[in-house]
Amino acid sequence: MENNKLLISHAPHIWGGFSTSKIMFIVAFALLFPTAAAIYFFGYYAIYMILASVSAAVLSEFVIKKLRKKRFIMDGSSVVTGLLLALTLPPRIPLWMVAIGAFFSIAIAREAFGGLGYNIFNPALAGRAFLSVCFPGEMTSWVIPPHFNYDAITGATPLGENFTYQADKLSLYKDLFFGNRGGSLGETSVMLILIGAAILIILRIIDWRIPVFYIGTVALGSFLIGRDVLFQVMAGGLMIGAFFMATDYVTSPVTRNGRIIFGVCLGILTVLIRNFGSLPEGVAFSILIMNAFTPLIDRYIRIKPFGFRKKEKNA
Amino acid sequence: MNIEIKKKRAFKGLSLPENKITAKKPIEVLPVPDKVVIPLQQNIGAPCEFIVERGDMVKTGQKIADSQNYVSAPIHSSISGKVTRIIKVVNPVTSNVMDSVIIESDGLDNWIELKKLFDIKKSDDFSGLKKIIDSIDGKEIIKKIKEAGIVGLGGATFPTHVKLNPPKDKKIDTLILNGCECEPFITSDHRVMLEYGKEVLMGLYILNKVLSPQNIYVAIEKNKEDAIIYLGKLAEEMGLDSIFKIIALESRYPMGAEKTLIRTITGRIVPMGGLPMDVRVIMNNVATSKSVYEAVIEGKPMIDRVITVTGAIENPKNLLVRLGITIDKLVESCGKTESGVNYLIIGGPMMGISIVNTDFPVTKGMNCLLLRKSRIPFEQNCINCGRCVNICPMKLMPLAYVRYVKKSQFEACREYYIENCIECGCCSYVCPANIPIVGYIKTGKNQLLKTIG
Ligand code: SF4
Ligand code: SF4
């Protein structure tokens, strides 16, 4: 045999074949369900927004990786970030703003911190927060679903102060569930979000603990302060936030217990912001705040190793 | 025969592609080599010192190196011939430089005189054999095992006589014979159980006599059903079925890992940093049991072992080889290597060590030689996904080691109990960012060892 061809590497010498890009691909696939709802309810313009966001995100990553002379791998993470960003934006925001948001998400919130894996804040939500600060007007102008008609009538989101609803409760719940309501592009259809989320949970891409404890805490908190639980859970960005944003690996805790704590804290924050803060909606900010606490949670919530005994620590 | 099927296990584990392509291939005896290279350090513990010199003539089975240290096992010549040189060889596992002797064969394979008490190949008088064993004193047995240089053959190479002689305050009530062989590709233990079943079981009887535990289990994964059935039948024939129980386990990696296997079988948890004897258990490999039999009944020292040569090669085989035969000879005897082989691995694909030096000899702890063609995936950043944390059988947080070793903060690794890692490789296997986590762990451990001194 030819010795000169032999190489050295660390064990193990076989791999499971699961990769970051596969994960991103599956997440992007799951996001197609809320995306379909976005297009159905808000028309062709939603497609343009998504295309603008995704292409701006991928391009930003490419350029920055080249500038920093790092290897560019099309691992799909920019696609997911771009898609998520678009889905959190109001449905009639100008495309150039979308592109700026996507650039901020990738260039500032992610690459400036050292790239995927080193970012502290969820890039898509950071981009959204940036746009809210820069363009507060555009970021809070909502329309009621015009379907394929561009000239939509402005209207309030269900959580907004001016939101009024004439019909009975049941059809309100129905509209919330199917998505026929005002709101950000991808947050309206609870049903399609749940389908996408089910895919991620069944394929074990995301841990069910974060969304379940998050939504559960919001439900409990709303119940305790006498709000309509079903309404609070389905309205706003809670569903898409809990399943698709709070579960972002990089910015959420790594241990199971840490994730439970993360979910519960998110829930408490969201209820507080919604009911006692000056903003109508608190999902995005709750997640950003908890992102900042993730390193702390990971530092203190560890798992006990096999055979761990208390007294051994002193020994 | 008492066979218990255990569905539960103490860890999550991986279901790996088994690739046990040599499972049905009978052990082939390789001819005595012309030359052997025998390193001084073949066990965990103290290295030996030579008791022969350059130019000496030695016989097969003659002791050539020994140590005053109790935690050590003597080393014997595996062929007869002349000691021609003393050289240094780099141990690929520890990167330590070891003194080694080269012995050139005289072509005679002239053995030292063996005192054979019984011939298990010729005679079926098992009750007679048991009487012989019963008549030997326990201390005498341990002495014979020590003299034969027997070490744990599962890979850890801990001297067996030390294991069988626990401190007085450690009561032993359970003996486990480990025949799990959970790594892909390797079949040497499997074949030993099938072809040396009698020796293995009589070895078990000897261990039973030394330790007199209340429970004895032979742990075998279900993918080796033939071995389970065969040993079960054999035990009845030999009148040994009352002393032990076969445990049939799920085929999951790493089933054979000591601590999790003890928990799976007995429910006991070996404390961190502790040994199986802390929970009254002693575990031995099935191949070790065979060697124990040969040492005690046939007086034969450890000079050969069964090793699987497999992977990208024409004729993968299970071979019975003399220790000290060089690896290129093993490869040659299995036909042409496939083109593009770029890894030569000692051990299995999950825990094995890749080497580039084909002059390296077979040592006591080697159970497999694996040839592979592979491309290492590109290492990306950790994405904090937690897969490594969820899979770790030792319940550690492998991603922390990656983070802190990268920053050279080795002390921080200790806060995450790095020394408990058994280097099973599960974390690297599942990592979507293709991080060679075990590589970082080894670096971390080595650095910590260095700082202690
Ligand atoms: S190699 Fe170590 S850290 Fe990784 S899974 Fe195995 S025991 Fe855990
Ligand atoms: S499996 Fe890999 S990417 Fe995931 S947390 Fe562990 S080290 Fe990081």
Side-chain angles (χ1 to χ4, degrees):
Chain A
M1 74 179 290
E2 296 160 276
N3 298 6
N4 53 358
K5 286 207 180 133
L6 291 179
L7 303 172
I8 296 269
S9 80
H10 284 292
H13 304 277
I14 50 176
W15 298 272
F18 210 66
S19 64
T20 307
S21 38
K22 273 188 197 157
I23 294 172
M24 294 299 167
F25 175 79
I26 296 170
V27 174
F29 176 77
L31 277 171
L32 288 183
F33 291 91
T35 304
I39 296 167
Y40 176 76
F41 289 111
F42 298 108
Y44 293 121
Y45 193 69
I47 301 181
Y48 303 145
M49 279 175 67
I50 288 164
L51 287 179
S53 180
V54 170
S55 48
V58 174
L59 200 69
S60 308
E61 185 189 356
F62 181 78
V63 170
I64 287 170
K65 282 265 156 69
K66 283 283 160 264
L67 286 179
R68 296 178 64 211
K69 302 217 177 357
K70 292 219 169 168
R71 182 161 159 181
F72 173 78
I73 310 165
M74 188 59 202
D75 62 9
S77 55
S78 295
V79 175
V80 168
T81 300
L83 194 51
L84 273 175
L85 173 70
L87 294 181
T88 59
L89 295 177
R92 288 295 176 262
I93 182 170
L95 294 182
W96 61 271
M97 287 187 193
V98 178
I100 288 181
F103 174 77
F104 184 89
S105 292
I106 300 295
I108 311 295
R110 217 178 73 191
E111 296 303 322
F113 282 86
L116 179 70
Y118 291 110
N119 51 307
I120 294 175
F121 298 103
N122 183 317
L125 287 178
R128 182 184 197 277
F130 177 74
L131 290 177
S132 299
V133 174
C134 295
F135 314 108
E138 283 81 357
M139 284 299 287
T140 47
S141 61
W142 309 101
V143 295
I144 55 170
H147 296 264
F148 289 94
N149 179 3
Y150 181 81
D151 300 314
I153 318 148
T154 39
T157 64
L159 282 171
E161 276 168 31
N162 309 324
F163 182 70
T164 48
Y165 201 82
Q166 270 83 33
D168 59 316
K169 270 243 157 114
L170 197 68
S171 55
L172 168 65
Y173 291 149
K174 230 162 85 187
D175 280 350
L176 285 172
F177 186 71
F178 291 111
N180 190 18
R181 53 149 155 161
S184 298
L185 216 51
E187 72 180 24
T188 60
S189 174
V190 171
M191 179 179 72
L192 286 166
I193 291 170
L194 286 178
I195 293 175
I199 293 173
L200 295 187
I201 290 174
I202 290 166
L203 292 179
R204 294 179 184 257
I205 301 291
I206 61 172
D207 189 340
W208 56 270
R209 289 172 185 81
I210 294 176
V212 165
F213 279 88
Y214 186 3
I215 297 169
T217 308
V218 170
L220 186 71
S222 305
F223 174 77
L224 289 180
I225 57 173
R227 293 299 172 104
D228 180 342
V229 172
L230 261 180
F231 178 80
Q232 286 291 331
V233 166
M234 292 199 290
L238 180 61
M239 282 291 165
I240 194 159
F243 285 107
F244 288 96
M245 317 258 184
T247 53
D248 171 37
Y249 295 141
V250 179
T251 55
S252 65
V254 72
T255 57
R256 290 174 177 169
N257 287 343
R259 287 170 178 170
I260 291 174
I261 294 173
F262 185 77
V264 171
C265 292
L266 278 173
I268 295 171
L269 278 177
T270 302
V271 172
L272 290 179
I273 297 176
R274 275 185 181 178
N275 295 295
F276 306 106
S278 58
L279 295 168
E281 172 59 313
V283 171
F285 281 103
S286 310
I287 295 175
L288 286 171
I289 292 169
M290 286 312 295
N291 285 167
F293 283 101
T294 293
L296 202 69
I297 295 176
D298 270 345
R299 197 167 168 76
Y300 290 103
I301 308 297
R302 298 186 190 170
I303 43 177
K304 286 197 180 71
F306 186 93
F308 180 82
R309 284 183 189 172
K310 257 241 162 86
K311 62 171 192 273
E312 236 174 4
K313 258 190 140 172
N314 314 324
Chain B
M1 180 64 207
N2 209 340
I3 297 176
E4 188 186 322
I5 297 170
K6 265 235 166 22
K7 282 240 160 62
K8 282 220 176 88
R9 53 178 185 269
F11 62 100
K12 191 166 158 215
L14 294 168
S15 125
L16 300 174
E18 285 179 7
N19 281 316
K20 305 234 182 207
I21 41 186
T22 49
K24 294 242 159 2
K25 300 224 174 137
I27 297 170
E28 200 179 301
V29 182
L30 212 61
V32 181
D34 313 330
K35 183 190 94 175
V36 289
V37 180
I38 302 181
L40 278 181
Q41 172 114 45
Q42 298 202 28
N43 57 269
I44 288 188
C48 295
E49 271 163 43
F50 287 124
I51 50 178
V52 291
E53 274 171 22
R54 207 176 132 183
D56 283 2
M57 296 300 290
V58 291
K59 288 183 176 177
T60 310
Q62 182 180 334
K63 205 198 276 180
I64 54 171
D66 205 349
S67 163
Q68 297 298 322
N69 199 307
Y70 184 62
V71 187
S72 178
I75 292 166
H76 305 79
S77 176
S78 56
I79 57 175
S80 66
K82 190 169 168 187
V83 178
T84 55
R85 255 187 325 148
I86 294 183
I87 58 162
K88 297 203 186 291
V89 173
V90 178
N91 183 340
V93 183
T94 58
S95 349
N96 290 342
V97 179
M98 313 179 289
D99 279 326
S100 311
V101 280
I102 295 183
I103 299 170
E104 266 166 37
S105 172
D106 56 10
L108 301 173
D109 194 23
N110 202 350
W111 280 72
I112 51 164
E113 211 177 307
L114 300 182
K115 278 192 233 78
K116 214 170 191 177
L117 304 175
F118 188 83
D119 194 339
I120 206 162
K121 292 262 181 295
K122 296 215 178 89
S123 163
D124 273 348
D125 180 18
F126 298 121
S127 53
L129 175 55
K130 276 195 246 173
K131 278 205 194 86
I132 297 175
I133 294 171
D134 290 339
S135 70
I136 315 175
D137 182 52
K139 288 230 167 52
E140 182 66 24
I141 291 176
I142 291 181
K143 215 179 117 207
K144 283 186 173 204
I145 291 172
K146 176 172 168 32
E147 276 307 298
I150 292 171
V151 300
L153 296 183
T157 64
F158 190 75
T160 303
H161 65 272
V162 184
K163 215 183 213 181
L164 295 182
N165 200 3
K168 287 278 168 299
D169 58 321
K170 306 275 184 204
K171 293 271 165 291
I172 301 301
D173 64 9
T174 304
L175 169 67
I176 299 174
L177 216 51
N178 187 348
C180 286
E181 205 164 50
C182 52
E183 271 224 46
F185 286 101
I186 312 179
T187 56
S188 56
D189 286 352
H190 185 187
R191 292 314 305 182
V192 164
M193 287 190 277
L194 287 175
E195 294 176 52
Y196 293 91
K198 290 177 189 165
E199 284 88 340
V200 170
L201 293 188
M202 272 303 160
L204 186 65
Y205 188 76
I206 295 171
L207 296 173
N208 175 36
K209 153 116 203 202
V210 176
L211 298 164
S212 46
Q214 278 118 45
N215 310 301
I216 303 182
Y217 304 108
V218 177
I220 308 175
E221 276 190 357
K222 271 190 197 152
N223 58 2
K224 291 174 272 293
E225 204 185 347
D226 48 354
I228 297 174
I229 293 168
Y230 175 67
L231 288 186
K233 222 177 69 211
L234 207 57
E236 277 167 23
E237 263 170 46
M238 299 169 81
L240 291 173
D241 50 329
S242 58
I243 70 162
F244 76 98
K245 203 181 197 178
I246 293 179
I247 309 275
L249 297 150
E250 299 290 311
S251 312
R252 291 287 276 205
Y253 182 83
M255 186 54 91
E258 198 170 62
K259 289 183 178 180
T260 43
L261 184 57
I262 289 172
R263 180 159 189 204
T264 303
I265 293 178
T266 67
R268 297 176 197 164
I269 300 177
V270 181
M272 227 161 62
L275 290 169
M277 65 169 88
D278 295 329
V279 290
R280 310 183 298 283
V281 178
I282 279 185
M283 186 181 289
N284 275 304
N285 182 273
V286 285
T288 314
S289 180
K290 162 184 173 272
S291 300
V292 163
Y293 170 84
E294 289 171 346
V296 175
I297 303 300
E298 298 174 354
K300 185 183 145 204
M302 241 234 98
I303 57 136
D304 55 9
R305 71 156 299 149
V306 178
I307 177 166
T308 304
V309 180
T310 183
I313 193 160
E314 200 179 351
N315 283 317
K317 284 175 185 173
N318 297 296
L319 296 171
L320 178 66
V321 301
R322 295 290 167 92
L323 296 176
I325 183 173
T326 49
I327 279 167
D328 50 353
K329 292 271 165 7
L330 291 193
V331 176
E332 262 165 40
S333 70
C334 293
K336 274 223 294 286
T337 52
E338 285 174 26
S339 69
V341 167
N342 55 358
Y343 284 99
L344 188 59
I345 298 157
I346 293 176
M350 293 299 282
M351 294 181 72
I353 313 275
S354 61
I355 58 163
V356 287
N357 176 11
T358 53
D359 289 337
F360 195 76
V362 172
T363 57
K364 289 178 181 176
M366 245 180 237
N367 52 5
C368 181
L369 184 69
L370 173 64
L371 292 94
R372 275 189 75 77
K373 296 184 265 194
S374 51
R375 256 184 58 205
I376 306 178
F378 181 73
E379 179 180 346
Q380 289 167 273
N381 290 345
C382 169
I383 53 169
N384 214 40
C385 69
R387 284 182 169 73
C388 54
V389 179
N390 289 339
I391 201 72
C392 178
M394 290 289 108
K395 298 209 175 74
L396 302 170
M397 296 177 69
L399 78 163
Y401 309 137
V402 177
R403 182 182 318 140
Y404 291 119
V405 169
K406 273 187 179 173
K407 293 191 201 161
S408 299
Q409 295 173 357
F410 304 111
E411 279 303 316
C413 295
R414 193 177 277 140
E415 277 171 44
Y416 286 89
Y417 310 103
I418 192 173
E419 62 281 6
N420 281 4
C421 166
I422 54 170
E423 293 172 21
C424 65
C426 291
C427 49
S428 301
Y429 186 86
V430 298
C431 176
N434 301 323
I435 302 175
I437 305 175
V438 181
Y440 286 99
I441 292 174
K442 285 183 182 167
T443 312
K445 281 184 179 173
N446 286 341
Q447 290 294 333
L448 284 173
L449 279 181
K450 266 187 209 154
T451 53
I452 304 168

